[in-house]
Amino acid sequence: MKDLMGRAIWDYYHNENPEDLQTETSISELDELPVDYLFRGFEEMNAIEQKALRLSEGKILDIGAGAGSHALYLQNERNLDVTALDISPKSIEVCKLRGIKKTICENILDFSGETFDTILLLMNGTGIFESLSKIDTYLQKLYALLNNKGQILIDSTDILYMFDRDEDGGIYIPAGGYYGELDYVVHYKGESEEPITWLYLDFNTLKNAAQHNGFAIERIMKDEDSYLAKLIKV
């Protein structure tokens, strides 16, 4: 991993000629991701993020923390015990520099030793599950990291709308796999990461997987094709 996302976050924080990130997927063209978006405050966040942060309670693990904006709000504005976790070394360094007291640079599947009341997975949090074949592995890991009655707050987008339709309303979905499994590539300053598999989940698919792995699940809110779900350890 070249850690291009982390490099962009680092460059922006240190004002070292940052540039916008570029992203693309196997079904979408190149798109700009302004790096300052990763540093936005609570009032600039979307409704799903704000709702999730308001619902967060107890001891919290923020997975995929990035520049740490969610964790900072919970720590500084709500005085909660929050740990920021990310696989990106440079992102975690910036989290520390921004004042986040507890940080971990590790893949969530390799992390252990603590349990939490709330686990946050935001900004298409289902993406880290990679593929349908790995959902059980990730959900079982998250289940083990939760205290009794603990919650996961996770968002995603049903990307069915991105596929072409015929005159009768039928949708052209590629054969051979779930339509939400995409190859995702990040570009920064002329360099490209190796493609990763990123998973967008419709709510019913997430619901079935969650219940199969011992969770109760509720869709907390819906915003067009995106939604926020709460999974409860039961």
Side-chain angles (χ1 to χ4, degrees), residues 56-225:
S56 298
E57 59 187 16
K59 185 180 177 184
I60 301 163
L61 179 64
D62 179 17
I63 298 176
S69 295
H70 298 137
L72 269 179
Y73 171 80
L74 293 170
Q75 174 186 282
N76 295 348
E77 302 302 322
R78 296 198 55 210
N79 298 312
L80 293 171
D81 179 352
V82 58
T83 299
L85 180 146
D86 204 289
I87 199 171
S88 159
K90 285 192 174 294
S91 295
I92 287 299
E93 285 302 313
V94 170
C95 285
K96 292 177 181 178
L97 290 168
R98 296 184 76 192
I100 297 174
K101 297 172 185 176
K102 295 183 178 181
T103 60
I104 296 167
C105 184
E106 198 166 10
N107 187 305
I108 187 57
L109 293 179
D110 298 324
F111 173 66
S112 62
E114 293 185 68
T115 55
F116 301 86
D117 302 302
T118 299
I119 293 177
L120 280 180
L121 283 156
L122 299 179
M123 296 180 68
N124 191 57
T126 65
I128 71 158
F129 297 162
E130 302 180 66
S131 65
L132 282 185
S133 65
K134 294 184 179 181
I135 288 180
D136 288 350
T137 298
Y138 279 95
L139 287 177
Q140 289 165 18
K141 179 64 178 183
L142 296 176
Y143 191 94
L145 291 173
L146 280 175
N147 294 324
N148 289 335
K149 305 298 182 181
Q151 64 175 347
I152 299 170
L153 297 169
I154 186 168
D155 68 339
S156 193
T157 301
D158 185 351
I159 61 169
L160 198 60
Y161 73 92
M162 297 182 69
F163 293 87
D164 293 332
R165 297 174 184 266
D166 60 27
E167 293 179 356
D168 299 322
I171 302 173
Y172 295 108
I173 299 175
Y178 176 66
Y179 66 86
E181 294 177 356
L182 303 183
D183 291 332
Y184 185 85
V185 182
V186 173
H187 309 276
Y188 184 63
K189 290 188 172 179
E191 294 187 62
S192 301
E193 289 281 11
E194 290 296 317
I196 61 171
T197 307
W198 197 249
L199 183 63
Y200 293 87
L201 277 178
D202 68 279
F203 178 73
N204 285 333
T205 300
L206 176 60
K207 179 180 179 180
N208 291 336
Q211 292 175 337
H212 177 72
N213 285 282
F215 290 98
I217 180 171
E218 176 186 359
R219 182 163 51 194
I220 298 296
M221 69 176 294
K222 191 173 183 294
D223 186 2
E224 296 183 347
D225 295 290

